[in-house]
Amino acid sequence: MKAIGKHLDERGLFTMVRWNGIMTNPPLPITEEQLAEGFGIIDEALEIADRAVV
Amino acid sequence: MSELTADEIVDLCLKHTLYDWQQQGSTRPIAVASARGCEFLTVDGKRYLDFNSQLMGVNIGHADPRVADAIAEQARVLPYISPFMATEVRAQLGRKLAELMPGDLDKVFFTLGGAEANENAIRIAKSMTGRQKILARYRSYHGATYATITLTGDPRRWANEPGMPGVVHVLDPYHGTQRGTDDAQTALAYLEETIMLEGPETVAAFILEPVTGTNGILIPPDGYLQGVRELCDRHGILLIADEVMSGFGRTGEWFAVNHWGVVPDIITMAKGLTSSAVPLGAVGLSPKIYRYFDEHVFYGGLTYNSHPLGLAAALATIRVYEEDGLIEHSAKMGEVMARHHQELADKHPSVGLVRNIGLFGIVELVRNRETMEPMAPFNARATR
């Protein structure tokens, strides 16, 4: 989870990574484009998580 | 331009100020220069997309000029006056909140934030019922004052115990990735048994987050909140909805209880009330509650009750929600979020569960989809 947090931080996505969860709580004026951008970065970070799957 | 470099800012902040919930030696905060909309900029010029609204509280986006103007105007005219006075901004905001709050709730007590709101909510409940016990849930966060950290169920409570006497914690419908969520009937049967064993006539109130925030965006099964309302009514227990995080459009409704048509006796709010621009909280009361205080003294007070700067910020913030249609937009973008969540779940074997209601969402990771073992254990050290 630490590596995931680090990846999000490096790519400029601020969120809370707590225990086994990644929070997705943007401000309400968020646009579809911004959501796509944020989830794109989470998508990349989950490649790291997939490697820990047993 | 900053007078100090990013490193100087961080070093001075660490040297002279305390940071929340961590060993001071192991944190390195981001030096932030400015923020706008859904983004903020560091002192070094790096851009961040804010996917948590800071602490789930910057609901209308950062640095809205309409709110800044309202705060500035109030600061010029009347930045502070004693809470024993009447002011136009207090009159206007009180009336507006009476219109927005669920059901018949139409009176508020203003505080400086969510913890103080919850603190006063339980004071009111105990005072009015003459009962001493408060029910709260384990997977919850209600604040960090001495009383509210006792209400809090999550591990941040442990180091602060024993805390306030009379708080009884109950389990939530949700039990983690491995055991999943009870149906409403099972969860309510357990709650009813706890009430019976504690003695219904000793319980003043049940405080809960209608949709739990920090403890995992826990959306109750259909029927749960309605059943809680019914149980509380049957036993003369007041229902306190902590909507500090879930209120003001976070879930695609003004308040999360609206999704289930449930009207609490007391509702607490903060965060989205001013979009966090100025510290402000409020305790909303139904006539059943506040009529008691027509004849009895309200033994509570704050120097900053109804602080004009906070009230001006709240009034302007509520106007932004309305002008920009942000509650409806949250519901609409929530559908887009749900599609993104589903795509992630379809693609990544590490995704165990996804949940969202409006723009209140979480992706829960697991080591294995068969066993649903979480990627990190309960209470594993959090990162930023």
Side-chain angles (χ1 to χ4, degrees), chain B residues 214-230:
Chain B
T214 318
N215 280 272
I217 321 299
L218 307 177
I219 304 159
D222 277 336
Y224 175 75
L225 285 175
Q226 295 94 319
V228 167
R229 176 72 270 182
E230 198 274 319

Side-chain angles (χ1 to χ4, degrees), chain B residues 13 46 89 96 105 116 143 279 283 374-375:
Chain B
C13 287
K46 181 177 172 179
V89 70
K96 188 71 207 172
L105 279 71
E116 274 185 359
V283 188
M375 188 64 81

Side-chain angles (χ1 to χ4, degrees), chain B residues 39-77:
Chain B
E39 300 174 359
F40 63 90
L41 283 177
T42 72
V43 174
D44 290 332
K46 181 177 172 179
R47 166 188 170 272
Y48 277 90
L49 180 60
D50 189 345
F51 241 45
N52 204 52
S53 310
Q54 297 305 294
L55 298 180
M56 291 94 144
V58 184
N59 289 16
I60 66 164
H62 293 274
D64 191 294
R66 292 165 287 185
V67 177
D69 288 346
I71 297 168
E73 178 59 19
Q74 189 67 48
R76 274 190 291 269
V77 176

Side-chain angles (χ1 to χ4, degrees), chain A residues 1-2 4-5 9-32 34-39 42-43 46-47 49-50 52-54, chain B residues 40 46-53 56 58-60 154 214 248 250 329 333 337 340-341 347-350 359-365 367-368 374-376 378-380 383-384:
Chain A
M1 295 308 292
K2 215 171 169 184
I4 293 164
D9 186 68
E10 280 169 7
R11 297 281 282 111
L13 188 75
F14 173 84
T15 191
M16 190 186 281
V17 177
R18 185 176 188 266
W19 305 349
N20 68 319
I22 303 171
M23 297 284 186
T24 58
N25 305 304
L28 311 190
I30 192 105
T31 62
E32 289 203 39
Q34 288 169 317
L35 280 174
E37 183 194 345
F39 279 105
I42 293 174
D43 185 18
L46 289 178
E47 301 290 340
D50 288 345
V53 169
V54 290
Chain B
F40 63 90
K46 181 177 172 179
R47 166 188 170 272
Y48 277 90
L49 180 60
D50 189 345
F51 241 45
N52 204 52
S53 310
M56 291 94 144
V58 184
N59 289 16
I60 66 164
D154 86 19
T214 318
F248 292 94
R250 177 54 56 197
H329 185 72
M333 288 302 108
M337 177 179 284
H340 281 292
H341 277 169
K347 182 174 170 191
H348 296 283
S350 58
L359 289 171
F360 212 13
I362 191 170
V363 177
E364 283 208 74
L365 306 187
R367 281 193 190 283
N368 183 301
M375 188 64 81
F378 179 75
N379 200 30
T383 54
R384 183 175 284 143

Side-chain angles (χ1 to χ4, degrees), chain B residues 52-316:
Chain B
N52 204 52
S53 310
Q54 297 305 294
L55 298 180
M56 291 94 144
V58 184
N59 289 16
I60 66 164
H62 293 274
D64 191 294
R66 292 165 287 185
V67 177
D69 288 346
I71 297 168
E73 178 59 19
Q74 189 67 48
R76 274 190 291 269
V77 176
L78 185 68
Y80 177 76
I81 201 78
S82 146
F84 296 101
M85 305 295 183
T87 59
E88 179 168 0
V89 70
R90 183 171 174 166
Q92 298 268 18
L93 183 61
R95 183 170 62 184
K96 188 71 207 172
L97 287 173
E99 187 189 309
L100 295 178
M101 287 190 292
D104 58 352
L105 279 71
D106 68 350
K107 187 175 276 205
V108 293
F109 176 66
F110 289 112
T111 66
L112 267 184
E116 274 185 359
N118 287 334
E119 182 101 19
N120 280 285
I122 59 170
R123 159 185 286 128
I124 288 166
K126 287 183 176 192
S127 163
M128 190 206 148
T129 59
R131 301 174 177 185
Q132 292 302 314
K133 279 189 217 165
I134 307 285
L135 295 183
R137 298 193 299 186
Y138 277 105
R139 294 174 196 270
S140 72
Y141 181 75
H142 296 293
T145 61
Y146 238 107
T148 57
I149 199 68
T150 313
L151 299 175
T152 292
D154 86 19
R156 284 173 281 189
R157 164 175 49 90
W158 301 346
N160 290 291
E161 287 181 320
M164 179 180 71
V167 176
V168 176
H169 285 101
V170 297
L171 288 170
D172 306 68
Y174 180 78
H175 301 288
T177 49
Q178 284 161 304
R179 288 184 52 210
T181 305
D182 292 337
D183 59 33
Q185 217 181 353
T186 308
L188 290 166
Y190 168 78
L191 176 62
E192 184 164 24
E193 187 178 351
T194 307
I195 291 171
M196 181 187 79
L197 295 171
E198 285 296 332
E201 67 285 352
T202 69
V203 180
F206 182 22
I207 183 167
L208 81 172
E209 298 165 271
V211 175
T212 305
T214 318
N215 280 272
I217 321 299
L218 307 177
I219 304 159
D222 277 336
Y224 175 75
L225 285 175
Q226 295 94 319
V228 167
R229 176 72 270 182
E230 198 274 319
L231 269 176
C232 286
D233 284 342
R234 197 175 339 138
H235 297 295
I237 296 168
L238 301 181
L239 177 56
I240 305 173
D242 176 345
E243 294 246 16
V244 170
M245 226 176 240
S246 59
F248 292 94
R250 177 54 56 197
T251 69
E253 286 277 352
W254 279 102
F255 294 100
V257 288
N258 298 0
H259 286 283
W260 296 277
V262 167
V263 180
D265 299 296
I266 301 177
I267 194 166
T268 57
M269 57 195 103
K271 294 188 189 277
L273 174 58
T274 59
S275 195
S276 306
V278 176
L280 185 73
V283 188
L285 305 168
S286 68
K288 172 173 113 185
I289 309 295
Y290 64 72
R291 278 194 194 123
Y292 173 83
F293 294 101
D294 289 345
E295 307 293 328
H296 299 82
V297 175
F298 170 58
Y299 282 103
L302 296 162
T303 299
Y304 302 133
N305 165 13
S306 300
H307 196 292
L309 286 187
L311 303 192
L315 204 51

